[in-house]
Amino acid sequence: MEISAAGGAGEPGGRALAAGARTLAAGETGTRTLAAGTAAGVERLIGLVRSLTPADGLSLTAAATLATLERSGPRRLTGLAAQEGVTQPAMTQLIARLEGSGLVRREADPDDGRVVQVWLTDQGGDTLARRRAVRAERLAVILDRISPEDRAALSAALPAIDALASAQRDPAAQRDGSAPRDGGAVGAGSAGRATRFA
């Protein structure tokens, strides 16, 4: 049986195919390594963000929900629950608490009166702005402690961080099969979790 030049490992074409396979395998390994390192780094950043966030009575899940409404405009409860990775009953309870605090309001959808949309109020927007300002001020102190090279690297990484955070919008795309997180409470002691920060 004869092996063609394109397929034989000892021929130029075969060497190219083998090299391509090795490159593909290395790329997959590189992606896994990057994913593991990024996941570990994000875990540490979550701790940092928690320590920088003012004790204003909002859980990270509540703040992330407000930030979603700020970025995306009014949303249905089902869409918010899917976006934040919580159950619909948990999101319903969270929105009720946020509404009670004056941070969101519920209105009938103008296109379908049977559907309720959640809107961010001016007070909710002001609350987000205050949280961000306090956190940025505290973070600036930490940034002054690291080298100019590290600050430049952080600055250069911001677009990639934004792209990563924006890439996963559909909870159905999650591959770990984990159940939705608890919706959390407005209170700071909530068990709610969020990977995006408001």
mmCIF file of all heavy atoms in Angstrom, residues 30-73:
data_model
loop_
_atom_site.group_PDB
_atom_site.id
_atom_site.type_symbol
_atom_site.label_atom_id
_atom_site.label_comp_id
_atom_site.label_asym_id
_atom_site.label_seq_id
_atom_site.Cartn_x
_atom_site.Cartn_y
_atom_site.Cartn_z
ATOM 1 N N GLY A 30 -3.084 25.587 25.521
ATOM 2 C CA GLY A 30 -2.891 26.992 25.872
ATOM 3 C C GLY A 30 -4.182 27.649 26.308
ATOM 4 O O GLY A 30 -4.202 28.438 27.260
ATOM 5 N N THR A 31 -5.294 27.316 25.638
ATOM 6 C CA THR A 31 -6.586 27.879 26.009
ATOM 7 C C THR A 31 -6.997 27.401 27.396
ATOM 8 O O THR A 31 -7.491 28.178 28.206
ATOM 9 C CB THR A 31 -7.653 27.490 24.970
ATOM 10 O OG1 THR A 31 -7.268 28.029 23.703
ATOM 11 C CG2 THR A 31 -9.010 28.037 25.354
ATOM 12 N N ARG A 32 -6.774 26.097 27.656
ATOM 13 C CA ARG A 32 -7.125 25.567 28.983
ATOM 14 C C ARG A 32 -6.279 26.228 30.077
ATOM 15 O O ARG A 32 -6.766 26.541 31.149
ATOM 16 C CB ARG A 32 -6.937 24.049 29.005
ATOM 17 C CG ARG A 32 -7.995 23.306 28.226
ATOM 18 C CD ARG A 32 -7.939 21.807 28.523
ATOM 19 N NE ARG A 32 -8.632 21.073 27.499
ATOM 20 C CZ ARG A 32 -8.042 20.440 26.492
ATOM 21 N NH1 ARG A 32 -6.725 20.423 26.393
ATOM 22 N NH2 ARG A 32 -8.741 19.793 25.595
ATOM 23 N N THR A 33 -5.002 26.413 29.793
ATOM 24 C CA THR A 33 -4.113 27.057 30.763
ATOM 25 C C THR A 33 -4.554 28.495 31.009
ATOM 26 O O THR A 33 -4.607 28.957 32.157
ATOM 27 C CB THR A 33 -2.657 27.025 30.259
ATOM 28 O OG1 THR A 33 -2.273 25.665 30.065
ATOM 29 C CG2 THR A 33 -1.717 27.686 31.240
ATOM 30 N N LEU A 34 -4.875 29.203 29.927
ATOM 31 C CA LEU A 34 -5.358 30.576 30.063
ATOM 32 C C LEU A 34 -6.659 30.613 30.845
ATOM 33 O O LEU A 34 -6.857 31.476 31.708
ATOM 34 C CB LEU A 34 -5.556 31.202 28.681
ATOM 35 C CG LEU A 34 -6.151 32.613 28.658
ATOM 36 C CD1 LEU A 34 -5.246 33.600 29.392
ATOM 37 C CD2 LEU A 34 -6.383 33.060 27.220
ATOM 38 N N ALA A 35 -7.555 29.666 30.563
ATOM 39 C CA ALA A 35 -8.841 29.619 31.269
ATOM 40 C C ALA A 35 -8.632 29.388 32.760
ATOM 41 O O ALA A 35 -9.261 30.043 33.596
ATOM 42 C CB ALA A 35 -9.729 28.533 30.672
ATOM 43 N N ALA A 36 -7.737 28.467 33.104
ATOM 44 C CA ALA A 36 -7.469 28.173 34.517
ATOM 45 C C ALA A 36 -6.862 29.390 35.210
ATOM 46 O O ALA A 36 -7.254 29.751 36.326
ATOM 47 C CB ALA A 36 -6.541 26.966 34.648
ATOM 48 N N GLY A 37 -5.892 30.016 34.557
ATOM 49 C CA GLY A 37 -5.270 31.200 35.142
ATOM 50 C C GLY A 37 -6.244 32.355 35.268
ATOM 51 O O GLY A 37 -6.253 33.071 36.280
ATOM 52 N N THR A 38 -7.092 32.533 34.253
ATOM 53 C CA THR A 38 -8.082 33.614 34.302
ATOM 54 C C THR A 38 -9.088 33.361 35.413
ATOM 55 O O THR A 38 -9.448 34.271 36.158
ATOM 56 C CB THR A 38 -8.804 33.737 32.942
ATOM 57 O OG1 THR A 38 -7.838 34.007 31.927
ATOM 58 C CG2 THR A 38 -9.823 34.858 32.971
ATOM 59 N N ALA A 39 -9.552 32.115 35.529
ATOM 60 C CA ALA A 39 -10.524 31.783 36.575
ATOM 61 C C ALA A 39 -9.949 32.055 37.964
ATOM 62 O O ALA A 39 -10.621 32.616 38.841
ATOM 63 C CB ALA A 39 -10.957 30.326 36.453
ATOM 64 N N ALA A 40 -8.697 31.666 38.165
ATOM 65 C CA ALA A 40 -8.056 31.913 39.465
ATOM 66 C C ALA A 40 -7.899 33.413 39.705
ATOM 67 O O ALA A 40 -8.129 33.901 40.821
ATOM 68 C CB ALA A 40 -6.692 31.223 39.514
ATOM 69 N N GLY A 41 -7.514 34.149 38.663
ATOM 70 C CA GLY A 41 -7.376 35.592 38.806
ATOM 71 C C GLY A 41 -8.696 36.279 39.108
ATOM 72 O O GLY A 41 -8.764 37.189 39.939
ATOM 73 N N VAL A 42 -9.763 35.813 38.452
ATOM 74 C CA VAL A 42 -11.087 36.401 38.699
ATOM 75 C C VAL A 42 -11.522 36.149 40.140
ATOM 76 O O VAL A 42 -12.098 37.030 40.785
ATOM 77 C CB VAL A 42 -12.117 35.853 37.689
ATOM 78 C CG1 VAL A 42 -13.542 36.193 38.117
ATOM 79 C CG2 VAL A 42 -11.843 36.422 36.303
ATOM 80 N N GLU A 43 -11.241 34.949 40.648
ATOM 81 C CA GLU A 43 -11.584 34.657 42.044
ATOM 82 C C GLU A 43 -10.913 35.655 42.985
ATOM 83 O O GLU A 43 -11.530 36.154 43.935
ATOM 84 C CB GLU A 43 -11.176 33.231 42.413
ATOM 85 C CG GLU A 43 -12.073 32.170 41.817
ATOM 86 C CD GLU A 43 -11.591 30.771 42.136
ATOM 87 O OE1 GLU A 43 -10.506 30.617 42.746
ATOM 88 O OE2 GLU A 43 -12.296 29.819 41.751
ATOM 89 N N ARG A 44 -9.636 35.938 42.718
ATOM 90 C CA ARG A 44 -8.921 36.899 43.563
ATOM 91 C C ARG A 44 -9.503 38.301 43.391
ATOM 92 O O ARG A 44 -9.607 39.066 44.348
ATOM 93 C CB ARG A 44 -7.432 36.894 43.227
ATOM 94 C CG ARG A 44 -6.779 35.550 43.565
ATOM 95 C CD ARG A 44 -5.287 35.608 43.386
ATOM 96 N NE ARG A 44 -4.689 36.467 44.397
ATOM 97 C CZ ARG A 44 -3.461 36.939 44.345
ATOM 98 N NH1 ARG A 44 -2.689 36.643 43.320
ATOM 99 N NH2 ARG A 44 -2.993 37.709 45.290
ATOM 100 N N LEU A 45 -9.878 38.648 42.147
ATOM 101 C CA LEU A 45 -10.470 39.965 41.905
ATOM 102 C C LEU A 45 -11.816 40.113 42.600
ATOM 103 O O LEU A 45 -12.154 41.203 43.072
ATOM 104 C CB LEU A 45 -10.635 40.207 40.405
ATOM 105 C CG LEU A 45 -9.370 40.577 39.655
ATOM 106 C CD1 LEU A 45 -9.642 40.674 38.158
ATOM 107 C CD2 LEU A 45 -8.794 41.894 40.166
ATOM 108 N N ILE A 46 -12.591 39.031 42.653
ATOM 109 C CA ILE A 46 -13.873 39.095 43.361
ATOM 110 C C ILE A 46 -13.638 39.482 44.813
ATOM 111 O O ILE A 46 -14.335 40.327 45.370
ATOM 112 C CB ILE A 46 -14.629 37.758 43.246
ATOM 113 C CG1 ILE A 46 -15.135 37.565 41.813
ATOM 114 C CG2 ILE A 46 -15.802 37.703 44.225
ATOM 115 C CD1 ILE A 46 -15.710 36.181 41.535
ATOM 116 N N GLY A 47 -12.632 38.869 45.430
ATOM 117 C CA GLY A 47 -12.305 39.226 46.805
ATOM 118 C C GLY A 47 -11.879 40.678 46.928
ATOM 119 O O GLY A 47 -12.272 41.376 47.868
ATOM 120 N N LEU A 48 -11.081 41.143 45.964
ATOM 121 C CA LEU A 48 -10.651 42.542 45.981
ATOM 122 C C LEU A 48 -11.844 43.478 45.847
ATOM 123 O O LEU A 48 -11.974 44.449 46.592
ATOM 124 C CB LEU A 48 -9.650 42.790 44.855
ATOM 125 C CG LEU A 48 -9.213 44.248 44.650
ATOM 126 C CD1 LEU A 48 -8.486 44.773 45.894
ATOM 127 C CD2 LEU A 48 -8.337 44.372 43.411
ATOM 128 N N VAL A 49 -12.725 43.172 44.898
ATOM 129 C CA VAL A 49 -13.897 44.032 44.684
ATOM 130 C C VAL A 49 -14.779 44.060 45.927
ATOM 131 O O VAL A 49 -15.280 45.108 46.331
ATOM 132 C CB VAL A 49 -14.693 43.569 43.443
ATOM 133 C CG1 VAL A 49 -16.038 44.267 43.356
ATOM 134 C CG2 VAL A 49 -13.887 43.845 42.190
ATOM 135 N N ARG A 50 -14.954 42.907 46.552
ATOM 136 C CA ARG A 50 -15.754 42.877 47.786
ATOM 137 C C ARG A 50 -15.141 43.797 48.851
ATOM 138 O O ARG A 50 -15.853 44.506 49.545
ATOM 139 C CB ARG A 50 -15.841 41.445 48.331
ATOM 140 C CG ARG A 50 -16.772 40.544 47.569
ATOM 141 C CD ARG A 50 -16.791 39.161 48.233
ATOM 142 N NE ARG A 50 -17.509 38.199 47.447
ATOM 143 C CZ ARG A 50 -18.818 38.030 47.470
ATOM 144 N NH1 ARG A 50 -19.558 38.782 48.251
ATOM 145 N NH2 ARG A 50 -19.400 37.111 46.721
ATOM 146 N N SER A 51 -13.825 43.759 48.965
ATOM 147 C CA SER A 51 -13.180 44.573 50.000
ATOM 148 C C SER A 51 -13.242 46.061 49.669
ATOM 149 O O SER A 51 -13.195 46.892 50.568
ATOM 150 C CB SER A 51 -11.728 44.132 50.198
ATOM 151 O OG SER A 51 -10.933 44.506 49.079
ATOM 152 N N LEU A 52 -13.338 46.405 48.383
ATOM 153 C CA LEU A 52 -13.382 47.811 47.981
ATOM 154 C C LEU A 52 -14.786 48.389 47.968
ATOM 155 O O LEU A 52 -14.956 49.601 47.956
ATOM 156 C CB LEU A 52 -12.792 47.962 46.565
ATOM 157 C CG LEU A 52 -11.325 47.589 46.374
ATOM 158 C CD1 LEU A 52 -10.959 47.674 44.896
ATOM 159 C CD2 LEU A 52 -10.428 48.487 47.201
ATOM 160 N N THR A 53 -15.795 47.520 47.960
ATOM 161 C CA THR A 53 -17.177 47.968 47.808
ATOM 162 C C THR A 53 -17.711 48.519 49.117
ATOM 163 O O THR A 53 -17.571 47.893 50.166
ATOM 164 C CB THR A 53 -18.054 46.795 47.322
ATOM 165 O OG1 THR A 53 -17.532 46.333 46.072
ATOM 166 C CG2 THR A 53 -19.494 47.223 47.139
ATOM 167 N N PRO A 54 -18.338 49.710 49.079
ATOM 168 C CA PRO A 54 -18.891 50.284 50.302
ATOM 169 C C PRO A 54 -20.027 49.435 50.848
ATOM 170 O O PRO A 54 -20.746 48.778 50.090
ATOM 171 C CB PRO A 54 -19.404 51.660 49.852
ATOM 172 C CG PRO A 54 -19.611 51.547 48.389
ATOM 173 C CD PRO A 54 -18.598 50.551 47.900
ATOM 174 N N ALA A 55 -20.184 49.451 52.152
ATOM 175 C CA ALA A 55 -21.261 48.703 52.804
ATOM 176 C C ALA A 55 -22.549 49.500 52.684
ATOM 177 O O ALA A 55 -22.954 50.206 53.599
ATOM 178 C CB ALA A 55 -20.907 48.447 54.264
ATOM 179 N N ASP A 56 -23.188 49.392 51.505
ATOM 180 C CA ASP A 56 -24.398 50.176 51.254
ATOM 181 C C ASP A 56 -25.665 49.338 51.283
ATOM 182 O O ASP A 56 -26.731 49.797 50.914
ATOM 183 C CB ASP A 56 -24.285 50.915 49.914
ATOM 184 C CG ASP A 56 -24.034 49.966 48.752
ATOM 185 O OD1 ASP A 56 -24.066 48.732 48.961
ATOM 186 O OD2 ASP A 56 -23.818 50.458 47.623
ATOM 187 N N GLY A 57 -25.542 48.070 51.703
ATOM 188 C CA GLY A 57 -26.723 47.235 51.811
ATOM 189 C C GLY A 57 -27.070 46.466 50.554
ATOM 190 O O GLY A 57 -28.065 45.749 50.537
ATOM 191 N N LEU A 58 -26.280 46.594 49.483
ATOM 192 C CA LEU A 58 -26.554 45.852 48.249
ATOM 193 C C LEU A 58 -25.638 44.648 48.157
ATOM 194 O O LEU A 58 -24.424 44.778 48.327
ATOM 195 C CB LEU A 58 -26.310 46.729 47.021
ATOM 196 C CG LEU A 58 -27.359 47.754 46.631
ATOM 197 C CD1 LEU A 58 -26.906 48.483 45.367
ATOM 198 C CD2 LEU A 58 -28.713 47.122 46.403
ATOM 199 N N SER A 59 -26.208 43.494 47.849
ATOM 200 C CA SER A 59 -25.375 42.331 47.538
ATOM 201 C C SER A 59 -24.785 42.520 46.151
ATOM 202 O O SER A 59 -25.239 43.369 45.371
ATOM 203 C CB SER A 59 -26.227 41.057 47.571
ATOM 204 O OG SER A 59 -27.149 41.056 46.492
ATOM 205 N N LEU A 60 -23.779 41.730 45.820
ATOM 206 C CA LEU A 60 -23.198 41.816 44.484
ATOM 207 C C LEU A 60 -24.220 41.445 43.412
ATOM 208 O O LEU A 60 -24.221 42.019 42.321
ATOM 209 C CB LEU A 60 -21.962 40.929 44.375
ATOM 210 C CG LEU A 60 -20.733 41.397 45.155
ATOM 211 C CD1 LEU A 60 -19.581 40.413 44.972
ATOM 212 C CD2 LEU A 60 -20.308 42.787 44.724
ATOM 213 N N THR A 61 -25.108 40.481 43.705
ATOM 214 C CA THR A 61 -26.136 40.108 42.736
ATOM 215 C C THR A 61 -27.105 41.255 42.506
ATOM 216 O O THR A 61 -27.490 41.542 41.372
ATOM 217 C CB THR A 61 -26.898 38.857 43.207
ATOM 218 O OG1 THR A 61 -25.971 37.786 43.394
ATOM 219 C CG2 THR A 61 -27.956 38.436 42.198
ATOM 220 N N ALA A 62 -27.493 41.934 43.580
ATOM 221 C CA ALA A 62 -28.397 43.076 43.436
ATOM 222 C C ALA A 62 -27.734 44.183 42.624
ATOM 223 O O ALA A 62 -28.348 44.764 41.720
ATOM 224 C CB ALA A 62 -28.808 43.592 44.817
ATOM 225 N N ALA A 63 -26.482 44.468 42.931
ATOM 226 C CA ALA A 63 -25.768 45.518 42.204
ATOM 227 C C ALA A 63 -25.568 45.131 40.742
ATOM 228 O O ALA A 63 -25.702 45.967 39.838
ATOM 229 C CB ALA A 63 -24.417 45.791 42.874
ATOM 230 N N ALA A 64 -25.272 43.860 40.476
ATOM 231 C CA ALA A 64 -25.103 43.402 39.094
ATOM 232 C C ALA A 64 -26.418 43.512 38.329
ATOM 233 O O ALA A 64 -26.422 43.849 37.141
ATOM 234 C CB ALA A 64 -24.597 41.959 39.079
ATOM 235 N N THR A 65 -27.524 43.260 38.987
ATOM 236 C CA THR A 65 -28.838 43.386 38.343
ATOM 237 C C THR A 65 -29.111 44.836 37.988
ATOM 238 O O THR A 65 -29.589 45.144 36.882
ATOM 239 C CB THR A 65 -29.938 42.831 39.264
ATOM 240 O OG1 THR A 65 -29.673 41.444 39.516
ATOM 241 C CG2 THR A 65 -31.318 42.970 38.641
ATOM 242 N N LEU A 66 -28.806 45.756 38.889
ATOM 243 C CA LEU A 66 -28.968 47.182 38.600
ATOM 244 C C LEU A 66 -28.076 47.586 37.424
ATOM 245 O O LEU A 66 -28.496 48.347 36.543
ATOM 246 C CB LEU A 66 -28.625 48.022 39.825
ATOM 247 C CG LEU A 66 -29.539 47.878 41.047
ATOM 248 C CD1 LEU A 66 -29.046 48.755 42.195
ATOM 249 C CD2 LEU A 66 -30.988 48.211 40.711
ATOM 250 N N ALA A 67 -26.849 47.068 37.403
ATOM 251 C CA ALA A 67 -25.923 47.404 36.317
ATOM 252 C C ALA A 67 -26.428 46.862 34.981
ATOM 253 O O ALA A 67 -26.278 47.514 33.937
ATOM 254 C CB ALA A 67 -24.535 46.861 36.631
ATOM 255 N N THR A 68 -27.025 45.685 34.992
ATOM 256 C CA THR A 68 -27.600 45.129 33.764
ATOM 257 C C THR A 68 -28.707 46.038 33.246
ATOM 258 O O THR A 68 -28.789 46.318 32.044
ATOM 259 C CB THR A 68 -28.151 43.715 34.020
ATOM 260 O OG1 THR A 68 -27.062 42.837 34.307
ATOM 261 C CG2 THR A 68 -28.919 43.180 32.820
ATOM 262 N N LEU A 69 -29.562 46.518 34.141
ATOM 263 C CA LEU A 69 -30.643 47.423 33.733
ATOM 264 C C LEU A 69 -30.077 48.738 33.206
ATOM 265 O O LEU A 69 -30.608 49.309 32.253
ATOM 266 C CB LEU A 69 -31.589 47.681 34.907
ATOM 267 C CG LEU A 69 -32.426 46.477 35.358
ATOM 268 C CD1 LEU A 69 -33.166 46.796 36.653
ATOM 269 C CD2 LEU A 69 -33.405 46.064 34.261
ATOM 270 N N GLU A 70 -28.988 49.199 33.797
ATOM 271 C CA GLU A 70 -28.366 50.436 33.331
ATOM 272 C C GLU A 70 -27.791 50.259 31.925
ATOM 273 O O GLU A 70 -27.936 51.140 31.070
ATOM 274 C CB GLU A 70 -27.258 50.844 34.303
ATOM 275 C CG GLU A 70 -26.561 52.138 33.914
ATOM 276 C CD GLU A 70 -25.421 52.471 34.863
ATOM 277 O OE1 GLU A 70 -24.509 51.626 35.019
ATOM 278 O OE2 GLU A 70 -25.454 53.568 35.448
ATOM 279 N N ARG A 71 -27.133 49.114 31.691
ATOM 280 C CA ARG A 71 -26.513 48.862 30.386
ATOM 281 C C ARG A 71 -27.536 48.522 29.306
ATOM 282 O O ARG A 71 -27.421 48.974 28.179
ATOM 283 C CB ARG A 71 -25.532 47.675 30.485
ATOM 284 C CG ARG A 71 -24.163 48.013 30.959
ATOM 285 C CD ARG A 71 -23.210 46.835 30.765
ATOM 286 N NE ARG A 71 -23.733 45.593 31.296
ATOM 287 C CZ ARG A 71 -23.619 45.210 32.556
ATOM 288 N NH1 ARG A 71 -23.008 45.985 33.421
ATOM 289 N NH2 ARG A 71 -24.114 44.066 32.959
ATOM 290 N N SER A 72 -28.515 47.711 29.660
ATOM 291 C CA SER A 72 -29.410 47.130 28.656
ATOM 292 C C SER A 72 -30.777 47.777 28.573
ATOM 293 O O SER A 72 -31.543 47.459 27.676
ATOM 294 C CB SER A 72 -29.594 45.631 28.939
ATOM 295 O OG SER A 72 -28.356 44.978 29.031
ATOM 296 N N GLY A 73 -31.102 48.625 29.533
ATOM 297 C CA GLY A 73 -32.440 49.202 29.548
ATOM 298 C C GLY A 73 -33.420 48.258 30.227
ATOM 299 O O GLY A 73 -33.034 47.245 30.813
#
